[in-house]
Amino acid sequence: MKEVILLKYGEIILKGANRSRFEALLLREVKRRAARVGQFSVRYAQSTMVVEPLTDGEDMEEMYRQSKYVFGIVGITRAAVAEKDMEDIRRVARAYLPARLAGARCFRVEAKRSDKQFPLTSPELAAEIGGLILEEMPALRVDLTHPDVTVRVEIRDHAAYVHAGQEKGAGGMPLGSGGRGLLLLSGGIDSPVAGYRMARRGMTLDALYFESIPYTSELARQKVVTLARCMAEYCGRIRLHVISLTEIQEALRDRCEEDYFTLLLRRCMIRLACRMAEECGAAALVTGESLGQVASQTLAAICVTEEAADRPVLRPLIGTDKEEIVQTAREIGTFETSILPYEDCCTVFTPRHPKTQPVPEKVRAQEALLDLTALEDAAWETRFAVNADPPEL
Ligand code: ATP
Ligand code: MG
């Protein structure tokens, strides 16, 4: 009996002229992952991608796991293939379903028939397969409203499929469909999650990390490389750029009012990030800010920071609680790395009483005490790129 993996991408993303572009992006992503696992053919038909192993020895478990990472896929299931003939569908259902229903107490059957030439209607087909399951597994019962497992029979143009226990896919939009953004990636919990959220909406990412050696360490940088690697599992290849803020931070410490350090630094970060975004073709910045989380994330502070940007600053976590952010960080596997206790440049020379209600004129007056252009030009020259590709990419 032949088994395949079915990936459903739903109708939402397929409207209008974008359909073929989205499908091509999805196909490319699934093929890229399939090539890592083994030999599979990948094709699509009727809002479903069919991933078919080309030999008996392919690792279906791993292919299934990989498929769960694909943005734009809303449902995923392993399925047995049958001929479009009732006799064969019965044979396959009998052989395939008992293992898939093991442990369940109740089930329902849904049938879908996109080939209207098929002699049975969908309700007839569902009743037929339901009866067959009850014969094979008499301890089970039918529950149409709260089944433990939903069995599906699909009659499609090219074949029939029998499956049970479809799971949710990663959702979102196909990677590459949402433009390019530059993620400000610190070693913290929030920014990797912010990047994940945007990638899930189709955005490809470059990342920028600011360091302040010797106040921050090589280990702190290594942690960010690990985070970018971790994210690449979902978000595709991420180019990681690094800029040193040491001189800027020392100048701020020497010449500006302490209460303004953090805000002044954040404005420098934003201006340098905009330069970097321009260089790597990113139309927007992405940060992990969440309203009210720290002094620099009050609305007034965000407004003052935003003023320094020449392009949109996307803050996908702005309305998200820390607890929810932590939950996602755990799900995407960045949490354990994020909580390693290395210092971040934002915590170097931290003011005792950071301004939470900054006055823009006052901030600009503080900036006038510095030769910002020279300082930022010098910082810009420190930039370099780090390879953050996972080994298997
Ligand atoms: P995170 O957990 O992402 O570090 P945070 O709660 O510590 O966020 P801040 O330190 O105020 O908050 O940083 C807010 C955002 O600014 C971060 O989410 C990140 O996008 C960006 N940022 C902060 N520090 C750095 C850094 N060293 N390099 C690059 N971006 C940074
Ligand atoms: Mg931080």
Side-chain angles (χ1 to χ4, degrees), residues 209 217-227 229 337 386:
Y209 166 62
S217 63
E218 294 273 347
L219 284 173
R221 184 199 302 161
Q222 197 46 50
K223 173 180 169 180
V224 175
V225 173
T226 307
L227 286 173
R229 273 210 181 114
T337 305
V386 191

Side-chain angles (χ1 to χ4, degrees), residues 31 59 80 92 146 192 258 291 318 346 357 370:
K31 278 188 168 167
D59 189 344
V92 166
H146 301 291
E258 181 186 317
L291 187 64
I318 196 69
C346 289
Q357 298 301 321
L370 303 161

Side-chain angles (χ1 to χ4, degrees), residues 98-119:
R100 312 292 293 179
L101 286 162
R105 285 158 307 166
C106 50
F107 73 100
R108 80 171 160 205
V109 182
E110 276 179 13
K112 207 166 107 183
R113 191 181 61 139
S114 51
D115 173 4
K116 303 295 177 203
Q117 305 302 313
F118 193 77

Side-chain angles (χ1 to χ4, degrees), residues 31-323:
K31 278 188 168 167
R32 183 180 73 79
R33 288 176 184 272
R36 279 164 61 182
V37 181
Q39 287 181 281
F40 293 87
S41 92
V42 185
R43 61 176 193 282
Y44 55 81
Q46 300 163 310
S47 299
T48 299
M49 209 156 280
V50 183
V51 184
E52 186 178 336
L54 294 177
T55 73
D56 288 342
E58 300 304 334
D59 189 344
M60 293 291 277
E61 239 9 279
E62 178 59 13
M63 189 61 232
Y64 187 87
R65 198 182 71 82
Q66 287 286 330
S67 304
K68 292 197 86 173
Y69 290 156
V70 178
F71 296 135
I73 298 296
V74 298
I76 157 169
T77 184
R78 291 168 73 148
V81 187
E83 280 166 38
K84 283 171 33 175
D85 155 76
M86 213 42 229
E87 211 33 60
D88 200 49
I89 293 171
R90 270 197 218 98
R91 177 188 67 83
V92 166
R94 231 182 268 283
Y96 189 67
L97 289 175
R100 312 292 293 179
L101 286 162
R105 285 158 307 166
C106 50
F107 73 100
R108 80 171 160 205
V109 182
E110 276 179 13
K112 207 166 107 183
R113 191 181 61 139
S114 51
D115 173 4
K116 303 295 177 203
Q117 305 302 313
F118 193 77
L120 270 65
T121 64
S122 297
E124 285 167 354
L125 188 56
E128 175 80 22
I129 298 300
L132 177 148
I133 293 170
L134 291 172
E135 258 171 47
E136 291 290 316
M137 306 179 76
L140 280 179
R141 60 191 171 76
V142 174
D143 186 334
L144 297 180
T145 43
H146 301 291
D148 290 339
V149 179
T150 299
V151 172
R152 291 191 172 84
V153 185
E154 302 182 29
I155 312 292
R156 296 192 167 244
D157 289 348
H158 48 283
Y161 297 105
V162 177
H163 57 98
Q166 177 169 317
E167 288 190 293
K168 270 194 169 155
M173 301 287 278
L175 206 56
S177 66
R180 178 175 293 278
L182 178 66
L183 171 68
L184 277 74
L185 183 61
S186 68
I189 297 169
D190 305 329
S191 42
V193 174
Y196 170 81
R197 284 270 185 92
M198 294 318 298
R200 187 168 175 271
R201 293 304 299 168
M203 185 174 267
T204 36
L205 297 171
D206 275 40
L208 172 58
Y209 166 62
F210 292 105
E211 63 182 7
S212 199
I213 288 175
Y215 308 106
T216 65
S217 63
E218 294 273 347
L219 284 173
R221 184 199 302 161
Q222 197 46 50
K223 173 180 169 180
V224 175
V225 173
T226 307
L227 286 173
R229 273 210 181 114
C230 221
M231 292 173 68
E233 187 65 56
Y234 297 86
C235 310
R237 172 170 287 161
I238 296 178
R239 278 179 298 179
L240 175 62
H241 311 270
V242 181
I243 290 181
S244 168
L245 292 178
T246 311
E247 281 188 28
I248 291 182
Q249 291 199 264
E250 287 174 342
L252 290 174
R253 176 197 59 191
D254 294 343
R255 282 188 255 145
C256 298
E257 231 177 85
E258 181 186 317
D259 296 359
Y260 283 92
F261 283 178
T262 312
L263 269 176
L264 293 168
L265 182 67
R266 292 200 62 78
R267 281 164 62 98
C268 289
M269 283 181 165
I270 293 289
R271 281 186 292 262
L272 287 164
C274 287
R275 277 203 213 186
M276 184 59 80
E278 185 61 30
E279 191 168 89
C280 52
L285 305 184
V286 178
T287 76
E289 288 160 300
S290 161
L291 187 64
Q293 198 189 75
V294 289
S296 60
Q297 295 174 24
T298 62
L299 186 55
I302 286 174
C303 289
V304 167
T305 310
E306 177 98 19
E307 207 187 56
D310 69 1
R311 62 199 67 211
V313 181
L314 306 179
R315 300 178 176 87
L317 306 182
I318 196 69
T320 312
D321 291 350
K322 194 74 185 187
E323 228 174 81

